[in-house]
Amino acid sequence: MTSLHTTRVRRRRLGVAAAAAAGLFATLLAAGPAVATPDPGDKPAKEETSKSQQAEARKAIENNDIPGVDEIIHSDNMSHVANVPKEHLKGTNSDIAFQGKYAFSGNYDGFRIFDISKPSKPKTVAQVLCPGGQNDISVSGDLLFLSTDASRSDNSCSSVSQPATEKSSWEGMKIFDISDKRNPEYVAAIETACGSHTHTLVPERKNIYVYVSSYSPNTAFPDCQPPHDGISIIKVPRKAPEQSKIVDFPILFPDGGNPGAPTNPGVSATTGCHDITVLPSKDVAAGACMGDGILFDIKDPEKPRVIDRVQDNVNFAFWHSATFNQRANKIVFTDELGGGGAATCNEEIGPKRGADGIYDILGKGDKRTLEFKSYFKIDRPQADAEVCVAHNGSLIPVKGKDIMVQAWYQGGISVWDFTDSSKPKEIGYFERGPVTLDQVTTAGPWSAYYYNGYIYSNDIAKGLDVIKLDDRRTDEAKKVKMDELNVQTQPDYFEDF
């Protein structure tokens, strides 16, 4: 375990504007879709910072405007109770899933299973080496699902990188049997067009449907041909996962979606979806699809139907993920400006880019529409060496309130309230200072999720963090006990709600 400590830091709100920030802003605007390659790859961002940027950051640390290198700070209502560093899997940490007393941590090199029966002392149960970024992870019953969105020589866990231009290359979904948590067994693989960047489970009694999100087709890729305007749907029999197969590839964007640049400069062209969140109890899903945000009906999980679609060609560069509120009358969409490889939490970028967009859902049935209400972005300044942008989060189950916890890479973890869609506000935070001042480095929390009374964060560089939130506004959530949680498959926390 690493040492845990707290330092109170006097913070100016969005007050650290580094010398090169204006130049970065211009680059992000002009570069268009190319700059919005989402999520760090096998080689995360490590661009050297200038001497003036380093001097600016050191001055900000001296003035207590930002925490020092690796220094931990947090609001009074949050406390750091545990950290488990990386061990055998040294790649980028990615998503997290939960089941009973276990947490399942994705990593570009495979996945790790923790026993979290004592949140203050997580214990490693198993580490599975199975390279193939980004290893987005979910669990349902005895099955674990792992996304491979990196071109590999074959579907085995001993595969090596191989160009996507070769027909024999493989990308897609892997399925493991986790009935024995100490010895997961690899049981099935399904190749999908353009791989599987992320996936979302729609569980039923006998079957599990998997919505596979992937994008960026290329005429040079035999298994990833344009156009690629939909998602792969896999049907997985619970008792015979080896019989899993693709049952459909519904087209979500018959018109091709957002064209991106030059029509919409600085916006990613839509060539598929990045992430989908489903709320099965309400038969709805929300898709964050590069240049578009969509709301669709999943009453028939094999035949999803788009109900409404929105774009933000002024402030959103890459629609990355989505979260419903419990009533399913709001969606929070995130914009991954800079593709998870740029420092965007500063004064020059401002509060509306690399942020969350809050949308109300109006109307009923097929007449439902999305109406933009406001943006939310952390207003705690970050150094220009810190990759920072809106990323993965989850609801905190408080009846009658809309509160969520969210990861912001090196911006840390934010707990914020969007009960009033037009006036979101942060109510708690936890963060570390820069991992270095010499390079723009991808680090910090990839995912931050609330599960059975604690916040669990998969830090890209530092490992698993466990955070305790003590606040009268969220104390009610401690009464909600979950048996399983895949955040992109949102549960109905209150059945009578």
Side-chain angles (χ1 to χ4, degrees), residues 24-25 27-41 44-45 47 266-268 290 315-320 334-345 349 353-355 377 386-391 409 440 442:
L24 171 64
F25 185 48
T27 301
L28 290 171
L29 278 175
V35 78
T37 302
D39 303 329
E47 178 184 348
V267 179
S268 290
M290 305 182 74
N315 290 311
F316 261 48
F318 190 94
W319 296 68
H320 176 274
T334 66
D335 171 28
E336 195 183 45
L337 176 67
T344 70
C345 298
I349 298 299
R353 309 198 76 235
K377 187 175 182 180
E386 295 182 277
V387 167
C388 175
V389 73
H391 220 243
Y409 283 174
V440 180
T442 299

Side-chain angles (χ1 to χ4, degrees), residues 146-150 170-174 190-192 194-196 212:
L146 208 62
S147 283
T148 299
D149 191 29
W170 186 91
E171 298 179 72
M173 286 299 309
K174 294 170 181 168
I190 307 94
E191 187 171 14
T192 55
C194 300
S196 175
V212 176

Side-chain angles (χ1 to χ4, degrees), residues 231-257:
I231 57 174
S232 298
I233 300 180
I234 300 172
K235 185 177 182 179
V236 180
R238 286 188 184 275
K239 294 185 178 180
E242 68 279 0
Q243 297 177 14
S244 300
K245 63 180 181 179
I246 296 172
V247 293
D248 203 0
F249 186 89
I251 302 301
L252 303 179
F253 303 97
D255 66 348

Side-chain angles (χ1 to χ4, degrees), residues 12 22 61 99 113 116 178 184 188 220-221 305 327-328 335 339 348 363 373 426 430 475:
R12 286 187 291 135
I61 291 171
Q99 187 181 83
I113 302 177
I116 54 170
I178 53 168
F221 300 162
R305 296 183 301 104
R327 290 182 181 273
D335 171 28
E348 293 299 327
K373 300 302 292 185
E426 184 175 78
F430 168 91
D475 282 347

